[in-house]
Amino acid sequence: MTLAAQDSIHVELLLEPRVPAGEPVRLRLRAENVTQHAIDLYLRGRAPTLDVVVGRGDGTVVWHRLEGEIIPAIVQLRALRPGERLEVDASWDQRTNAGEAVAPGDYVVEASLLTDGEPLRAPPRPLAIRSAAR
Amino acid sequence: MRLKHEAIGILLIALAVSCGGGPDEQATSGDAQAVAAQGQDQLARWFARASPEVLALPDTVLAYIDEAGGRLVFGIEHARAEPAARAALARLGIPDTAFTIEETEPIYQLVTLRDKWRPTINGVQIHFGGYLCSLGFNADHGGDRSFVTASHCTGKQGAVEGTRYYQPTSTVDSTVIATEVEDPTYFRGAPCPRGRKCRYSDSSRALYSTAVASSRGAIARTSGPNNGSLTVTGSFSITSQDNATSSFAVGTTVNKVGRTTGWTQGNVTATCADTNVSGSNITLLCQTLVQNPNGAVVVQGGDSGSGVFQLTGASTARLVGILWGGNGTGTRFVFSPLKQVEDELGALVTTQ
């Protein structure tokens, strides 16, 4: 997709800002055409491919959804009408890529939708994982 | 090789010509005064008559009014074209003091990997359904004039349902250039991991429509590897193909040309790797992984199907496989060796 198109797409990450430890974190990336004309998206994969990175406040990455993944290098043409939204869901089980449960605490979640160029990135969102005792 | 192509959505080279361009170095001060006396209206009238006449001549490049210099300017490719241009201007009664003829580099139309190509050539964009991929390589299979692209660049991966292909898109040209005729079924059972289905290559074959011309053994070439350019500047000739290798030596340098990232190059970092395809239950067996040592982006969405090749000379290549995927950041691509493509699709002739 073009840079101009990227400017015309509002991208946001939706998630609950506070979740109990051990519970799946449900994530939704929403891309909305905020212009008055249709915009073509060039999305990587047979189905839209969502990347998610969860990190600590100091920048340490604890989970990267596409870490080690090999994705088909195909592009799906998807036209978004004015006001139309594209939503892609994912879930995080609060484990690192190595399979270890993360500790309760404050995290930052970044999400992006792969295209044939620069990904469609949503602004980072904070995530607080709270222990059951709190 | 001389390529014939038809450009759609042409990008024109920006003319390095200023209409208020530099002075005519050969003009004398007397000439300048004479020209200055000629009004802009007169120049415009002369231009209207002279431009079509001169530009109809061989090896002429451009014509414009140099308003600052008060004269007409005609660009020609070389001095041999000058006499004819002067003769044409004389016939029109335009005085020598009213124009300059100067040698000018020819202006080329630039075509990219995403434009229309006839005959078709390896590495350019193809379209089917709602998807874009790259035309991997033209090949003869028995008597069939075909191209090979990725299996997942078909309507249904691992089945033949007659996927119809367009180039560059059905919107630009509604001609069906080819129809899918081979895409072998994915198998289960050893050596395929439990719960998954497998093949040894992500490849399929499409049969060309009779009226669509194709160029076998030619890979579109851009200006250089890993520079992001999609503008085609020439071609590589496939002079050989590797029908025997499944395990490429780590460190082997390979290339690909595809519609999204153009010409990219990297080194084999893993060989004969069984590779799960993200978001599916497919495993591709004995695949080759490639990365650029400097971390360049070597693949993005839309490059699927690109032929993978080794350079054997300045513009000659040995075809070694077909690209089908890569990591999310695009710094690693994965390809199926040509040997395994042929094991599944049958013998292919891909050279010129």
Side-chain angles (χ1 to χ4, degrees):
Chain A
M1 74 178 281
T2 64
L3 286 175
Q6 191 153 11
D7 291 343
S8 306
I9 299 288
H10 178 70
V11 187
E12 62 179 334
L13 172 62
L14 308 175
L15 78 169
E16 288 294 328
R18 297 167 64 92
V19 295
E23 292 291 316
V25 179
R26 291 187 171 76
L27 309 154
R28 172 170 290 176
L29 183 138
R30 174 180 291 165
E32 180 177 358
N33 179 357
V34 294
T35 74
Q36 299 300 310
H37 56 272
I39 292 177
D40 288 333
L41 299 181
Y42 293 75
L43 304 172
R44 179 163 177 183
R46 292 287 300 219
T49 305
L50 178 60
D51 197 8
V52 180
V53 176
V54 179
R56 297 195 180 93
D58 63 2
T60 307
V61 172
V62 298
W63 183 64
H64 185 178
R65 185 169 190 246
L66 294 182
E67 177 72 37
E69 295 285 307
I70 299 297
I71 306 143
I74 187 173
V75 160
Q76 181 184 20
L77 283 171
R78 175 74 180 266
L80 276 190
R81 296 184 302 274
E84 187 179 7
R85 292 173 174 173
L86 169 69
E87 295 183 336
V88 185
D89 295 336
S91 178
W92 177 43
D93 61 4
Q94 294 193 20
R95 292 184 177 277
T96 68
N97 286 105
E100 298 169 351
V102 300
D106 293 328
Y107 295 87
V108 175
V109 184
E110 298 178 23
S112 59
L113 201 54
L114 301 193
T115 71
D116 68 344
E118 283 299 307
L120 285 172
R121 299 181 200 280
R125 293 286 306 274
L127 171 68
I129 296 177
R130 296 297 177 232
S131 62
R134 298 176 67 179
Chain B
M1 175 191 166
R2 185 178 297 275
L3 294 172
K4 295 177 182 175
H5 57 250
E6 184 177 346
I8 299 295
I10 292 166
L11 302 174
L12 289 174
I13 294 176
L15 297 179
V17 173
S18 165
C19 287
D24 173 13
E25 294 174 0
Q26 295 177 353
T28 65
S29 59
D31 290 337
Q33 289 169 358
V35 169
Q38 296 156 353
Q40 295 297 317
D41 290 348
Q42 178 64 67
L43 279 177
R45 283 194 293 275
W46 281 335
F47 181 78
R49 290 157 53 200
S51 178
E53 290 292 323
V54 173
L55 292 184
L57 299 170
D59 303 324
T60 53
V61 179
L62 54 81
Y64 66 95
I65 299 173
D66 175 1
E67 293 178 351
R71 60 181 50 224
L72 308 181
V73 178
F74 299 94
I76 56 174
E77 286 189 33
H78 46 71
R80 295 192 303 280
E82 183 169 347
R86 285 195 176 278
L89 293 165
R91 281 197 303 275
L92 294 170
I94 300 172
D96 288 353
T97 53
F99 65 84
T100 299
I101 296 176
E102 56 191 25
E103 289 190 35
T104 305
E105 287 190 15
I107 309 300
Y108 296 103
Q109 291 176 330
L110 298 185
V111 285
T112 77
L113 297 166
R114 301 177 187 179
D115 290 322
K116 178 178 173 180
W117 284 84
R118 301 291 185 278
T120 63
I121 184 173
N122 303 356
V124 299
Q125 175 175 293
I126 54 174
H127 172 220
F128 72 97
Y131 297 93
L132 299 175
C133 285
S134 296
L135 191 160
F137 47 88
N138 289 323
D140 283 356
H141 175 269
D144 290 350
R145 191 169 55 87
S146 313
F147 73 73
V148 173
T149 189
S151 167
H152 71 264
C153 294
T154 63
K156 184 178 181 187
Q157 191 169 1
V160 176
E161 66 294 321
T163 301
R164 297 193 294 181
Y165 292 96
Y166 304 87
Q167 199 286 314
T169 65
S170 59
T171 308
V172 171
D173 187 333
S174 61
T175 304
V176 176
I177 65 160
T179 304
E180 174 201 13
V181 290
E182 267 189 289
D183 183 7
T185 306
Y186 288 69
F187 66 89
R188 295 181 185 275
C192 192
R194 191 172 58 251
R196 301 186 71 85
K197 53 185 185 178
C198 294
R199 267 180 55 181
Y200 287 90
S201 80
D202 187 338
S203 64
S204 64
R205 184 172 68 86
L207 182 65
Y208 271 109
S209 303
T210 306
V212 175
S214 58
S215 179
R216 197 182 75 194
I219 306 168
R221 176 181 187 159
T222 59
S223 57
N226 306 324
N227 67 8
S229 173
L230 302 180
T231 301
V232 177
T233 59
S235 65
F236 297 108
S237 297
I238 300 175
T239 55
S240 60
Q241 59 184 70
D242 187 338
N243 300 325
T245 305
S246 275
S247 296
F248 292 88
V250 169
T252 303
T253 299
V254 295
N255 305 261
K256 79 93 185 60
V257 175
R259 61 79 64 189
T260 304
T261 58
W263 175 14
T264 60
Q265 185 178 74
N267 297 338
V268 172
T269 56
T271 191
C272 206
D274 297 340
T275 308
N276 287 340
V277 181
S278 183
S280 78
N281 65 344
I282 291 173
T283 299
L284 287 160
L285 303 172
C286 198
Q287 304 298 295
T288 309
L289 277 58
V290 175
Q291 274 183 279
N292 179 273
N294 299 318
V297 170
V298 291
V299 63
Q300 285 289 7
D303 286 330
S304 273
S306 303
V308 178
F309 57 96
Q310 293 175 285
L311 291 175
T312 54
S315 59
T316 56
R318 175 189 297 117
L319 190 69
V320 300
I322 185 169
L323 180 153
W324 59 265
N327 61 349
T329 54
T331 56
R332 169 186 292 164
F333 74 68
V334 186
F335 77 89
S336 302
L338 181 62
K339 175 195 185 307
Q340 295 166 201
V341 173
E342 292 191 284
D343 286 347
E344 294 186 330
L345 299 184
L348 300 165
V349 178
T350 68
T351 53
Q352 280 193 326

